[in-house]
C-alpha cells in the first residue's frame, strides 16, 4: 500500500545539474543518482533485484569472463561515445573466444562537477548499445572523485559468456598454412578520435567503427567450429595484434599490403597526421586465423553479415622461429611489420 510519500523530494536535475561529492557518499543523493540515472536506463529483472551482485542461471558450456576500462578522450566522437564503446569493447572481448556474451557489469568513476546532462547521454547510449546487443547490464558500481582528480567519467565493464561445446579458440593455436582474415577496413576508430580531438576536417567524414561483433562471430563459428584464433585489433591496431599472436603461437606471418582494406579517407588522414593505419585502433573489427582450407567458407560467411561486408583474406601464417610479421608491399618489396613503439594515439579507448 502506498503511503503517498515521495522517495526523493526533488527529481534529479539532468538538464542543469552536475555530479557532486554527495552522489558518491552512499546516502540519499547516491541512491537517487543510481535509481533515476542508471536503473532507469539499464532497467532489467536482474538489476531490479538491487543486490550487490547479480545471480543468474548458467547455460551449459565453458564460461568466459573479460573486463575492460574505458578512458577515451573525447567522450563523444563521430560514430559513438564512451557509453556505447564500453559495451561494444567488452562484448567483443568475450566474443573473441567464440562465446555468446550473456551479461555485463559496469563501474563508473565520476568527477565532481561533471554535467548530469552529459552523464545521461552516455548512460542512455550505453543502454541502447546493450539492448541492441542483447547483453544487459545487470550489476554495477558508482564512485565520485574530487574535481581535478578525474577526467569527467571513466567506465569499467566486465562481461561473462558461454563457449559452446566443441569450440576452442585461442591466441596460441595459429599454425603454418593458416589463413589470416579481417572483417573490414582498418583504422577507422583511431582516425575518427584524432580528427574529433584535434578538430580536423576532411573531405569525407570519418566515423568510428565501434560495433558489437558477437553475432558475426556466432555465424562464423556455426560455419567453421574449428577456427583457430580470433582477436579484436584495438589499441596498437592490426600490426601490434598480429605480433601478439605470433608470439603466443610461435609462428610468423606474411601479409599482402594490397589485400588489407583501408578506406581512402583513412589513408589520407593518416598520411596528413604522420600515422601508419596498421597501428591505428579499431573497435568494430576482428582478426580471424583459420585452416587454409576453411578460408573461403569463412570469407563468404563474413561478407554476408552486416559487420563483415568488406572482409578480406590478408595473408597467411608461416614458419618463422623469430616470430616476425612480414608484409609484401604494394611496390613489390618486403618489410617487417614490428610492434608498436611508443604511443601513436593517447586515450583511444
Amino acid at each position: 500500500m502506498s503511503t503517498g510519500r515521495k522517495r526523493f523530494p526533488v527529481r534529479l536535475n539532468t538538464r542543469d545539474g552536475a555530479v557532486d561529492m554527495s552522489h558518491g557518499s552512499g546516502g540519499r543523493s547516491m541512491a537517487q543518482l543510481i535509481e533515476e540515472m542508471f536503473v532507469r536506463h539499464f532497467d532489467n529483472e536482474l538489476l531490479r533485484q538491487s543486490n550487490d551482485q547479480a545471480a543468474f542461471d548458467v547455460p551449459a558450456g565453458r564460461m568466459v569472463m573479460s573486463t575492460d576500462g574505458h578512458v577515451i578522450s573525447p567522450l563523444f566522437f563521430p560514430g559513438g561515445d564512451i557509453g556505447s564503446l564500453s559495451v561494444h569493447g567488452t562484448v567483443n572481448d568475450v566474443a573473441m573466444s567464440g562465446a555468446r556474451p550473456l551479461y555485463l557489469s559496469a563501474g563508473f568513476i565520476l568527477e565532481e562537477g561533471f554535467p548530469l546532462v552529459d552523464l545521461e547521454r552516455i548512460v542512455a547510449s550505453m543502454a541502447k548499445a546493450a539492448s541492441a546487443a542483447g547483453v544487459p547490464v545487470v550489476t554495477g558500481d558508482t564512485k565520485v572523485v574530487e574535481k581535478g582528480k578525474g577526467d569527467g567519467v571513466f567506465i569499467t565493464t566486465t562481461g561473462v559468456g558461454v563457449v559452446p561445446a566443441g569450440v576452442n579458440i585461442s591466441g596460441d593455436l595459429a599454425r603454418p598454412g593458416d589463413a589470416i582474415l579481417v572483417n573490414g577496413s582498418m583504422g577507422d576508430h583511431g582516425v575518427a578520435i584524432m580528427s574529433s580531438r584535434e578538430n580536423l576536417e576532411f573531405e569525407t567524414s570519418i566515423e568510428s567503427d565501434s560495433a558489437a561483433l558477437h553475432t558475426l562471430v556466432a555465424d562464423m563459428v556455426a560455419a567453421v567450429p574449428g577456427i583457430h584464433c580470433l582477436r579484436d585489433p584495438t589499441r596498437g591496431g592490426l600490426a601490434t595484434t598480429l605480433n601478439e599472436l605470433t608470439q603466443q603461437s610461435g609462428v610468423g606471418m606474411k601479409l599482402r599490403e594490397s589485400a588489407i582494406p583501408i578506406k581512402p579517407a583513412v589513408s589520407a588522414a593518416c598520411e596528413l597526421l604522420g600515422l601508419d593505419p596498421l597501428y591505428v585502433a579499431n573497435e568494430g573489427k576482428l582478426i580471424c586465423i583459420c585452416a587454409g582450407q576453411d578460408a573461403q567458407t569463412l570469407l563468404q560467411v563474413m561478407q554476408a553479415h552486416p559487420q563483415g561486408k568488406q572482409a578480406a583474406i590478408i595473408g597467411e601464417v608461416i614458419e618463422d622461429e623469430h616470430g616476425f610479421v612480414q608484409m609484401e608491399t604494394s611496390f613489390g618489396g618486403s618489410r617487417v611489420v614490428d610492434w608498436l613503439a611508443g604511443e601513436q594515439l593517447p586515450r583511444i579507448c
Side-chain angles (χ1 to χ4, degrees), residues 221-253:
V221 169
V224 181
I227 291 171
H228 293 168
C229 309
L230 288 173
R231 191 67 60 86
D232 52 340
T234 52
R235 282 171 296 179
L238 176 69
T240 300
T241 306
L242 290 178
N243 274 281
E244 291 173 353
L245 292 171
T246 61
Q247 294 301 307
Q248 281 186 263
S249 291
V251 296
M253 294 184 183

Side-chain angles (χ1 to χ4, degrees), residues 20-291:
D20 61 46
M21 294 305 297
S22 71
H23 288 128
S25 68
R28 187 182 297 272
S29 293
M30 185 172 180
Q32 183 174 21
L33 179 69
I34 291 171
E35 183 173 311
E36 296 185 7
M37 179 71 71
F38 298 114
V39 175
R40 180 165 67 88
H41 285 286
F42 294 144
D43 188 38
N44 60 72
E45 182 179 351
L46 293 176
L47 190 64
R48 248 178 277 130
Q49 294 174 359
S50 300
N51 294 319
D52 286 336
Q53 69 292 123
F56 47 83
D57 294 326
V58 180
R62 298 196 328 275
M63 293 289 295
V64 297
M65 179 179 179
S66 180
T67 192
D68 202 356
H70 304 274
V71 296
I72 195 165
S73 177
L75 298 175
F76 305 96
F77 49 85
D81 54 65
I82 191 172
S84 58
L85 182 68
S86 68
V87 171
H88 295 156
T90 298
V91 165
N92 291 346
D93 285 344
V94 170
M96 291 307 110
S97 66
R100 176 169 66 92
L102 298 175
Y103 302 108
L104 294 171
S105 72
F108 291 80
I109 298 178
L110 309 174
E111 185 181 18
E112 180 184 16
F114 188 70
L116 288 176
V117 65
D118 287 342
L119 179 59
E120 181 162 45
R121 181 179 169 191
I122 289 167
V123 174
S125 174
M126 194 171 173
K128 181 179 179 181
S131 176
V135 187
V137 176
V138 296
T139 190
D141 186 52
T142 305
K143 294 292 187 292
V144 179
V145 297
E146 294 90 345
K147 191 171 183 63
K149 294 189 176 180
D151 194 8
V153 57
F154 300 147
I155 303 175
T156 296
T157 45
T158 298
V160 294
V162 174
V163 180
V167 175
N168 183 27
I169 296 173
S170 178
D172 62 353
L173 295 178
R175 298 291 181 264
D178 284 356
I180 306 168
L181 297 85
V182 296
N183 67 311
S185 59
M186 296 289 109
D188 296 11
H189 175 72
V191 170
I193 297 300
M194 181 57 76
S195 62
S196 179
R197 184 181 297 163
E198 304 298 334
N199 293 316
L200 300 175
E201 294 184 1
F202 302 101
E203 291 184 4
T204 304
S205 62
I206 301 172
E207 292 191 349
S208 169
D209 59 348
S210 182
L213 300 176
H214 59 304
T215 60
L216 170 61
V217 171
D219 287 353
M220 294 167 64
V221 169
V224 181
I227 291 171
H228 293 168
C229 309
L230 288 173
R231 191 67 60 86
D232 52 340
T234 52
R235 282 171 296 179
L238 176 69
T240 300
T241 306
L242 290 178
N243 274 281
E244 291 173 353
L245 292 171
T246 61
Q247 294 301 307
Q248 281 186 263
S249 291
V251 296
M253 294 184 183
K254 193 168 186 178
L255 310 179
R256 293 181 296 278
E257 185 175 32
S258 59
I260 300 172
I262 300 172
K263 294 176 181 175
V266 170
S267 293
C270 285
E271 186 174 352
L272 177 66
L273 296 167
L275 303 174
D276 185 336
L278 297 185
Y279 294 91
V280 175
N282 310 273
E283 286 293 344
K285 299 299 186 299
L286 62 79
I287 298 165
C288 173
I289 298 177
C290 67

Side-chain angles (χ1 to χ4, degrees), residues 255-259 271 327-335:
L255 310 179
R256 293 181 296 278
E257 185 175 32
S258 59
E271 186 174 352
M327 185 164 69
E328 296 177 357
T329 69
S330 300
F331 300 102
S334 178
R335 70 178 178 94

